[in-house]
Amino acid sequence: MTRTVDRLAQLRQPRLGPVAADPYPWPYDGAVAAAQTALMCIDWQVDFCGPGGYVDRMGYDIGLTRAGLPATARMLAHARTIGMLVIHTREGHCPDLSDLPANKRWRSAQIGAEIGSPGPQGRILVRGELGWEIVSEVAPQPGEVLIDKPGKGAFYATQLDLVLRTKGITHLVLTGITTDVCVHTTMREANDRGYECLVLSDCTGATELDNHVAALRMVTMQGGVFGCVATLDAVLAATTTGDNHGG
Amino acid sequence: MAADRPALPADPGPYSFVPSRTALLLIDMQRDFVEPGGFGESLGNDVSLLQAVIPPLRKVLAATRAAGMTVLHTREVHRDDLSDCPPAKLNRGNPTMRIGDLGPKGRILIRGEYGHDIVDELAPLPGEAVIDKPGKGAFYGTDLHELLETAGITSLIVTGVTTEVCVHTTVREANDRGYECLVLADCVGSYFPEFQRAGLAMIAAQGGIFGWVAPSSAYLDALNRAVPSAVNVPNAVNVPSAVSPAAVGAATGPERS
C-alpha cells in the first residue's frame, strides 16, 4: 500500500526527458526526476559579462558573453518551478590573493587586466567586489547554492561534489559563461565524476564565437564524450509536471 | 642563469621551465586509441592522425629522459568488473562497442588487456610512473597531483591523445592546480583535424588561459641549449637515460598494471 502511494507520488513529481538533444536523447537513462537534477549557472558575473568587468577590460565584446542571459533567465525560472536544485558559481579570489596561482596572475597582467588590480567595477575577480557579483538578470535567490571557485572548473577546491552528492543529484543541466573555458572545464569534471550532463547551447556564450561553436561540437563527438547539447526549448518541451502527467 | 631555465618561443608568448621541476606527461598513448585494428579504428576513426604523433614524441621522450627529467604516462582504463565506470559513461548513446566488450585487442579499456597498454614505441621505462585513470582527466580519481607535488614538479610538458578530450581535460585540471603547461602541438593528436586546431587555439586564447603551445622542435632546441647532451642521443627509446630516473627521486611513483 505504502509502495503504491510512493509510486503515485513519484509519478506526480516533475521529470525531465527524454530531451531532444545532440547526439542522443538526453538523459542516457530516459528521464530523470527534477529533484535529482541541478541547474548550474556558471559565472554569470559582471566581470565576465558586464561593462567595465574583466572580459570587457581585456577588450572582448561582452555582447557575445551576454547573449545567453535571456534564455538562462527563463531556464532559471523553470528550474525553480519544477524543483531542480539551483547552483550558482562565481570565479574569484580572496582579497589577499593567497588562492591565486602565480601563473594565473602573471597571464592576466600580460593581457592588461591583472587579477586583483582596481577597475571600474572594483578589484578584478576579487571576492566581494562589484565585478565579482552575479548580474541581476540571473541573480540567486535565498536558499540557492553558491559555489565560489578559484579556478575554471567548479569542482576543484570547492564543495560542489559534496553538495551534489548530499542532495542526491545525478544529472546536471549547464548554463553560463564562457562556453569553452569555465562551462567546458566544469562539464568535463562532472562527466569524469559520473554526472549525466546536458549543456544548453542558447544559455551559454564565449569571448569568441568560433570557440563557442567548437566547444559545443566537441561535446557531441564520439557518441557524446562529455554528454549532450540541447536548447532551452527542448528542455521545456521535455518537462513532465505532475499537472500534465495524466495520472 | 639562462641555461638553468631554458626558454622557447610559444603561443601566446615565451615559455620557460626549470628541467628539474618539469615533467613530461604522455597521455593515453594506448594501443586501443592509436593502433590500426584497435578500438578507436573500429569506431570508424582515422588512426593515422594519431599515429603521426609517435615519431616526434619518441624524440621528445628520448631527449627528456636523457636530460634526467621526470616522465609520466597515463592510461584510460577500468577494472575488469567495471566497478569504477560510471553508468553514464558505460551506457550512454548507442555505440557499436561499449567499454568492457571484447574488442580486436582484448576487452576494451580494461586493465591488463593487450589493447589498454601503451604502444611499444613509447613504452614506459622502469621507474616511470604510469597513472591509470577512470576518466578523461588525469587528476580526478588518481594520485597524479600527489606524485607531482612530492617530486617538486611545477611545470608540465603535455603530449598524447586526444587533443580535445583527454589532453584538454588534463591541461584544464593542471592549470587550475597552478601547473604551467606547455602543449607540444605535433605531439598531441585528434581524430578530427577541426578539433586539433580548435583545441590548440583554446589553450592559448585570452593570453594563454590554459597554458602555452609550441612545436616539439622549439622544446628540443631549448632543452639542447640547457642540457646539450640531451637531444643528440640514439633514437632508440629504451636506451637508459643519461641520468637515471631514480635521480629524480619521488617522481618515480608506483608502477601499476
Side-chain angles (χ1 to χ4, degrees):
Chain A
M1 179 63 190
T2 311
R3 201 166 288 169
T4 311
V5 171
D6 286 350
R7 178 89 186 114
L8 285 173
Q10 213 173 40
L11 284 174
R12 279 195 294 272
Q13 287 178 353
R15 296 176 73 76
L16 290 179
V19 176
D22 191 12
Y24 58 87
W26 187 91
Y28 80 97
D29 46 355
V32 60
Q36 274 177 256
T37 310
L39 175 68
M40 299 289 303
C41 296
I42 298 173
D43 297 6
W44 284 112
Q45 294 161 264
V46 172
D47 264 334
F48 296 115
C49 64
Y54 181 53
V55 163
D56 196 21
R57 291 273 307 280
M58 285 191 289
Y60 294 102
D61 174 11
I62 58 169
L64 287 173
T65 55
R66 295 183 67 81
L69 267 176
T72 301
R74 288 177 60 206
M75 182 63 219
L76 187 54
H78 183 64
R80 287 166 176 157
T81 303
I82 66 172
M84 290 170 69
L85 180 69
V86 174
I87 295 185
H88 305 262
T89 73
R90 296 181 291 213
E91 181 174 345
H93 295 277
C94 300
D96 65 1
L97 305 182
S98 56
D99 58 354
L100 174 61
N103 57 347
K104 184 176 181 182
R105 182 175 190 170
W106 179 86
R107 283 186 217 141
S108 65
Q110 291 292 302
I111 201 164
E114 183 172 352
I115 295 169
S117 71
Q121 298 284 5
R123 294 177 66 201
I124 291 176
L125 284 186
V126 169
R127 292 181 187 175
E129 301 286 335
L130 281 176
W132 164 85
E133 298 281 0
I134 293 170
V135 296
S136 59
E137 291 91 331
V138 293
Q141 286 185 354
E144 292 176 350
V145 179
L146 282 161
I147 298 287
D148 284 317
K149 62 187 179 69
K152 308 306 176 191
F155 285 87
Y156 175 63
T158 76
Q159 295 180 327
L160 176 57
D161 196 52
L162 181 61
V163 170
L164 294 175
R165 293 192 192 281
T166 305
K167 300 269 190 187
I169 300 297
T170 53
H171 293 55
L172 302 181
V173 175
L174 291 99
T175 72
I177 50 178
T178 61
T179 321
D180 54 320
V181 183
C182 293
V183 175
H184 235 266
T185 302
T186 300
M187 189 172 191
R188 289 163 186 264
E189 289 180 325
N191 182 60
D192 273 354
R193 286 158 179 77
Y195 297 100
E196 172 73 350
C197 294
L198 176 69
V199 61
L200 301 186
S201 57
D202 46 356
C203 296
T204 56
T207 51
E208 294 183 35
L209 190 58
D210 284 352
N211 287 346
H212 171 73
V213 172
L216 291 176
R217 273 182 43 75
M218 280 177 190
V219 171
T220 67
M221 303 309 289
Q222 297 178 43
V225 68
F226 303 121
C228 276
V229 181
T231 60
L232 165 67
D233 284 343
V235 172
L236 299 181
T239 304
T240 314
T241 66
D243 298 335
N244 62 12
H245 200 280
Chain B
M1 210 171 102
D4 292 334
R5 195 173 174 89
L8 56 129
D11 190 19
Y15 179 83
S16 67
F17 62 100
V18 177
S20 63
R21 298 176 71 81
T22 304
L24 174 68
L25 190 58
L26 293 90
I27 298 175
D28 298 6
M29 291 300 295
Q30 296 162 261
R31 296 187 180 109
D32 256 338
F33 295 129
V34 175
E35 287 188 349
F39 173 52
E41 189 176 74
S42 76
L43 297 177
N45 295 306
D46 177 4
V47 294
S48 71
L49 293 167
L50 304 196
Q51 292 266 303
V53 165
I54 295 176
L57 185 45
R58 285 186 72 179
K59 287 185 190 165
V60 164
L61 179 59
T64 304
R65 283 170 173 164
M69 292 165 58
T70 301
V71 175
L72 304 105
H73 307 256
T74 74
R75 302 183 292 207
E76 182 172 343
V77 62
H78 292 281
R79 296 167 186 262
D80 62 3
D81 62 359
L82 298 177
S83 57
D84 58 353
C85 186
K89 180 177 184 181
L90 185 61
N91 298 319
R92 177 180 291 161
N94 190 24
T96 50
M97 273 190 280
R98 293 187 191 280
I99 295 164
D101 287 351
L102 190 59
K105 293 177 188 284
R107 290 182 68 203
I108 292 164
L109 295 189
I110 298 300
R111 191 174 298 178
E113 299 287 333
Y114 181 75
H116 102 288
D117 216 340
I118 293 167
V119 297
D120 293 336
E121 295 94 323
L122 304 168
L125 287 180
E128 289 176 357
V130 178
I131 307 289
D132 283 337
K133 61 189 179 64
K136 309 306 178 191
F139 285 87
Y140 175 66
T142 75
D143 55 5
L144 176 58
H145 191 46
E146 288 71 19
L147 286 179
L148 296 174
E149 286 204 320
T150 306
I153 299 297
T154 56
S155 298
L156 297 175
I157 310 297
V158 183
T159 66
V161 298
T162 62
T163 309
E164 77 278 15
V165 184
C166 294
V167 172
H168 237 271
T169 304
T170 301
V171 167
R172 288 163 187 262
E173 289 179 324
N175 181 61
D176 272 354
R177 286 158 180 77
Y179 296 98
E180 308 217 334
C181 297
L182 173 68
V183 177
L184 300 183
D186 52 339
C187 292
V188 295
S190 169
Y191 297 124
F192 309 100
E194 167 198 354
F195 292 147
Q196 174 78 2
R197 198 167 47 246
L200 293 175
M202 277 179 196
I203 287 165
Q206 294 179 47
I209 193 154
F210 298 123
W212 289 259
V213 178
S216 63
S217 56
Y219 167 69
L220 292 174
D221 286 349
L223 202 57
N224 191 34
R225 284 194 298 274
V227 191
S229 61
V231 175
N232 297 315
V233 295
N235 206 17
V237 293
N238 286 329
V239 169
S241 54
V243 177
S244 158
V248 282
T252 59
E255 179 81 41
R256 296 177 296 184
S257 56

